[in-house]
Every structure is written in C-alpha cells, then in structure tokens.
Amino acid sequence: MNFLLIYSSRFGYTHKIAQTLEAQWTAAGNTVNIVNLADTPVIQPGEYDKIIIGASIRYGHYAAALAPWIERHQHILNSTSSAFFSVSILANKPHRSTPQTHTYTRKFFAKSPWQPQIIGIFAGELHYAKYNLLDRHMMRLVMKLNKGETNLNAHIEYTNWQKVREFGEQVLQAKK
Ligand SMILES: Cc1cc2nc3c(=O)[nH]c(=O)nc-3n(C[C@H](O)[C@H](O)[C@H](O)COP(=O)(O)O)c2cc1C
C-alpha cells in the first residue's frame, strides 16, 4: 500500500518519531512517502491508501500551517484511511496521555473538519541546549509549573516507544 506520512517538527523530534513509523510500515511491505508539512505537500484524490499526520506542540499550539492544510485537503482526508499523532512534553503526564484527556488535541479536533480514525498521543523530548534563550527560559518555566525537570543540562526523551509501535500497528490494521 501507499502511505503518505506528513510531519510538522520544530526541533526534529516529531521527524524522528515519523522515521520510526516509516521503518515499521516499510518493513510490513508498504511504500511510505514521508514529507515535511513546511514543504506544503500537494495530493490528489486516490493517490494514497493511508494518510498519517504527526505534529508537535509549541506554546500550546500545532504549527500554524496545519489547520489550513487540513482544511484544504479535508475531503481526501475524510475519504481515506487516516491517522494523526501529537507530540508534546505534557503528554508525559498519565492524565494527559489519551486523545480524550490531551487538551491540545481534543480542542484541535473539536474544531477540525477532519476526524482521523486513529489518534496517537506521544510524549516528546526535552533538550534545553537546542533552544534559544527565550524558549529555554519559557520551557523551564513550563517544566517548573508542572514539577518537571528544570536542570538546563537535561536531555530527556519521554517517548514511550512501545506506544508508538502500537499506534503503527493500529494504522497497519485500519480499514476504511
Ligand atoms: C519553545 C517550546 C515550547 C513548547 N511548548 C509546549 C507546550 O506548550 N506544551 C507541551 O506539552 N510541550 C511543549 N513543548 C515541548 C515540545 O512539544 C517537545 O519538545 C517536542 O518533542 C518537540 O517536537 P519537535 O522537535 O518535533 O518540534 C515546547 C517546546 C519548546 C521548545
């Protein structure tokens, strides 16, 4: 089958998760076209058997380009087997780790013309050294408020890779 995997990533971590899923789906015998949302992919009806979008959260929101892209492609998305995964630091908290309890995703899809069949909520990466001064300061504040890691030398991957794998398996099994 032909898969389209679109990722939206600021610091490369959602891309890393996307590459892991790409490897899983390719190993299962599929062709995966992996593209950056920033490159504004153009798709035609019937071009792909499955479409998957992954995006990270920054200051409470997905990239500004995500909603307009979905809006433009809603008919293709809704008529294709489709899935979405979200990457954020607060998904690390057990009470914010499902599509129903992860506020960013719940709010986003409450307003979205696209309803994916499968939604994955993944915890991302904390890597202060990658951020500029303002972002580092803000992230540290977010972590402090949430009783998380505030050591500026920290580089932590909070991702549960088993959860990513299970999402990948669900996508493989999904039928439209
Ligand atoms: C400047 C900045 C702001 C962020 N804001 C949030 C946020 O509001 N909520 C959250 O849960 N995670 C937040 N994060 C965490 C990111 O979602 C996480 O680091 C993720 O792994 C980034 O993925 P990316 O490299 O694909 O963009 C933020 C990270 C940075 C650097």
Side-chain angles (χ1 to χ4, degrees), residues 127-163:
H127 193 182
Y128 289 112
K130 274 190 188 172
Y131 316 146
N132 67 28
L133 206 63
L134 176 68
D135 285 348
R136 196 176 308 148
H137 175 75
M138 294 303 287
M139 262 317 272
R140 197 161 185 236
L141 203 64
V142 169
M143 295 309 286
K144 195 170 179 186
L145 289 172
N146 286 281
K147 299 183 174 41
E149 181 59 69
T150 54
N151 181 340
L152 291 177
N153 293 319
H155 178 196
I156 306 169
E157 280 191 11
Y158 290 101
T159 316
N160 176 343
W161 290 101
Q162 181 57 28
K163 196 176 177 186

Side-chain angles (χ1 to χ4, degrees), residues 71-139:
E71 174 90 33
R72 262 201 313 285
H73 297 91
Q74 57 179 289
H75 299 298
I76 298 180
L77 286 168
N78 283 321
S79 58
T80 307
S81 176
S82 65
F84 176 83
F85 66 90
S86 173
V87 181
S88 68
I89 218 79
L90 296 183
N92 172 40
K93 305 259 174 202
H95 65 282
R96 296 194 190 188
S97 61
T98 70
Q100 294 75 31
T101 59
H102 192 253
T103 317
Y104 308 127
T105 311
R106 192 165 35 81
K107 282 189 178 164
F108 185 82
F109 284 106
K111 284 195 267 172
S112 167
W114 169 47
Q115 299 302 319
Q117 286 169 282
I118 303 163
I119 296 180
I121 306 295
F122 306 143
E125 174 194 58
L126 178 69
H127 193 182
Y128 289 112
K130 274 190 188 172
Y131 316 146
N132 67 28
L133 206 63
L134 176 68
D135 285 348
R136 196 176 308 148
H137 175 75
M138 294 303 287
M139 262 317 272

Side-chain angles (χ1 to χ4, degrees), residues 9-14 56-57 59-60 88-90 104 124-125 131:
S9 183
R10 267 77 168 205
F11 293 95
Y13 198 73
T14 305
S56 65
I57 288 285
Y59 296 130
S88 68
I89 218 79
L90 296 183
Y104 308 127
E125 174 194 58
Y131 316 146

